[in-house]
Amino acid sequence: LQQRRGLRLSAPAAIQVTVRDALNQALDEELERDERVFLLGEEVAQYDGAYKISRGLWKKYGDKRVIDTPISEMGFAGIAVGAAMAGLRPVCEFMTFNFSMQAIDQVINSAAKTCYMSAGSIAVPIVFRGPNGASAGVAAQHSQCFAAWYGHCPGLKVVSPWSAEDAKGLLKSSIRDDNPVVMLENELLYGVPFELSEQAQSKEFVIPIGKAKVERQGTHVTLVSHSRPVGHCIEAATVLAKEGVECEVINLRTIRPMDIETVEASVVKTNHLVTVEGGWPQFGVGAEICARIMEGPAFNYLDAPAVRVTGADVPMPYAKILEDNCIPQVKDIVFAVKKALNI
């Protein structure tokens, strides 16, 4: 009616969407778009998912597209890998990536290596997804970050979203990719609302795998992070800005393949580097970034050694005060930046 009257309709504005709802949207849109896509895992169907990521999908798509499995990661991951080899596009949910250790043979020896070992004749288009890293009060066996583990393995792509836009765009790209993708989400982010742009509300919105995003422009130091610590870096940058220090914050988004070019360009501009991650320090994501910068052209632009902020080198304690001291906090990032800048 408004159009008939010659009035201009305003474009849909950005909206607030939780990471949980963004993932749910992505699954819904891809299940609708491609009949080869199906979801399987523990409690993903009738219970709507342990974290309600698959809420409403079983009622909409039925038993053949959204499948409850027994508590046997080795079994259902193997079924999913076989289905992918046969031409389907499974999304395999682990209730936590700590439990993916039960299926590590399927993920690495079957999914990651088959395309190479078959000289490219067998694609394995599968997504392994679920919460990764520390949650709250779940202790050592449920708190590990597997970004470095899976990022170590050729044949896998590994994505690690922070915002709702990251989650939606990366999950859709992962489902459409012909390679096995490990998608490392964060349980503590599921209920956090983020702004979802007009573009990201489209059913065809995807984020390219292997491309980082500069979340905040700065001139004095580069902060590189992924997943939940990206938010901590932005908070630390806000604190430091009050002291005259402008931090450039890079959200990696993808662990493998790593967008080292974006990091290099930032280091060339700021001359300082701090990496932040929730995982352990030894052989970690930050260690890889530091090595790549040292081996590349940006090394000549560094005015001080790179600094890493990581989780503590211990199995996660249960007590909250100890847990807080094992996970990078905003104050730890601020301290690291001042160390890098020698202030």
Side-chain angles (χ1 to χ4, degrees):
L1 185 61
Q2 285 178 318
Q3 283 178 321
R4 286 180 184 177
R5 290 173 179 168
L7 297 175
R8 183 178 177 183
L9 295 176
S10 60
I15 57 175
Q16 292 283 314
V17 174
T18 65
V19 171
R20 174 183 290 108
D21 288 341
L23 291 166
N24 181 265
Q25 283 178 28
L27 287 169
D28 189 7
E29 290 169 7
E30 294 305 303
L31 283 162
E32 181 181 62
R33 176 180 176 271
D34 189 341
E35 63 181 11
R36 295 171 298 172
V37 176
F38 70 98
L39 173 65
L40 77 167
E42 295 152 357
E43 299 182 344
V44 299
Q46 295 187 41
Y47 188 66
D48 279 343
Y51 306 98
K52 307 306 175 195
I53 303 298
S54 53
R55 184 178 58 242
L57 299 181
W58 174 67
K59 289 180 180 177
K60 184 173 181 179
Y61 295 101
D63 290 324
K64 288 188 176 180
R65 305 288 302 283
V66 184
I67 304 168
D68 276 332
T69 65
I71 303 175
S72 175
E73 283 77 12
M74 182 189 293
F76 68 76
I79 288 170
V81 172
M85 290 177 180
L88 299 179
R89 306 186 85 86
V91 179
C92 178
E93 177 179 305
F94 294 124
M95 197 175 286
T96 152
F97 259 94
N98 298 270
F99 300 157
S100 73
M101 293 295 95
Q102 302 291 327
I104 195 74
D105 181 59
Q106 307 288 7
V107 178
I108 304 301
N109 277 330
S110 297
K113 298 177 182 175
T114 294
C115 185
Y116 181 86
M117 293 175 70
S118 66
S121 63
I122 302 175
V124 189
I126 184 171
V127 180
F128 299 102
R129 55 153 296 271
N132 168 72
S135 178
V138 291
Q141 293 179 330
H142 297 74
S143 298
Q144 187 172 338
C145 176
F146 289 92
W149 282 50
Y150 287 119
H152 179 66
C153 302
L156 289 178
K157 293 185 177 181
V158 183
V159 298
S160 181
W162 168 58
S163 66
E165 195 163 299
D166 289 352
K168 182 177 181 182
L170 287 172
L171 180 52
K172 288 170 73 73
S173 288
S174 300
I175 291 171
R176 298 182 189 190
D177 202 292
D178 286 334
N179 298 282
V181 181
V182 171
M183 182 158 177
L184 304 170
E185 300 155 13
N186 187 286
E187 182 184 339
L188 294 176
L189 288 174
Y190 283 154
V192 178
F194 289 88
E195 190 173 276
L196 201 66
S197 67
E198 177 193 344
Q199 180 189 13
Q201 295 169 46
S202 163
K203 288 187 177 182
E204 290 307 310
F205 173 73
V206 293
I207 290 174
I209 294 174
K211 185 62 183 168
K213 180 185 179 185
V214 179
E215 297 286 352
R216 179 186 173 116
Q217 296 286 342
T219 54
H220 295 123
V221 61
T222 298
L223 295 176
V224 187
S225 190
H226 67 95
S227 190
R228 186 166 174 255
V230 173
H232 296 339
C233 287
I234 291 173
E235 288 181 49
T238 303
V239 171
L240 287 159
K242 295 174 182 175
E243 301 181 31
V245 176
E246 293 298 331
C247 303
E248 183 145 296
V249 179
I250 296 177
N251 173 9
L252 274 180
R253 283 180 164 172
T254 305
I255 306 301
R256 185 184 187 107
M258 185 178 285
D259 181 7
I260 203 66
E261 292 80 13
T262 295
V263 180
E264 285 178 336
S266 180
V267 169
V268 167
K269 180 168 72 169
T270 68
N271 311 116
H272 297 88
L273 173 65
V274 174
T275 68
V276 185
E277 64 189 305
W280 293 320
Q282 190 157 323
F283 312 116
V285 174
E288 174 65 17
I289 294 168
C290 291
R292 299 276 282 274
I293 291 297
M294 188 192 74
E295 294 167 350
F299 175 71
N300 295 314
Y301 291 84
L302 279 176
D303 287 343
V307 179
R308 290 183 294 156
V309 180
T310 71
D313 198 20
V314 296
M316 183 63 71
Y318 173 73
K320 179 160 180 25
I321 190 167
L322 296 177
E323 180 183 76
D324 288 344
N325 279 282
C326 285
I327 302 171
Q329 307 291 338
V330 172
K331 61 180 176 60
D332 301 316
I333 301 169
V334 170
F335 179 83
V337 168
K338 289 183 176 182
K339 178 182 177 183
L341 294 174
N342 195 27
I343 57 176

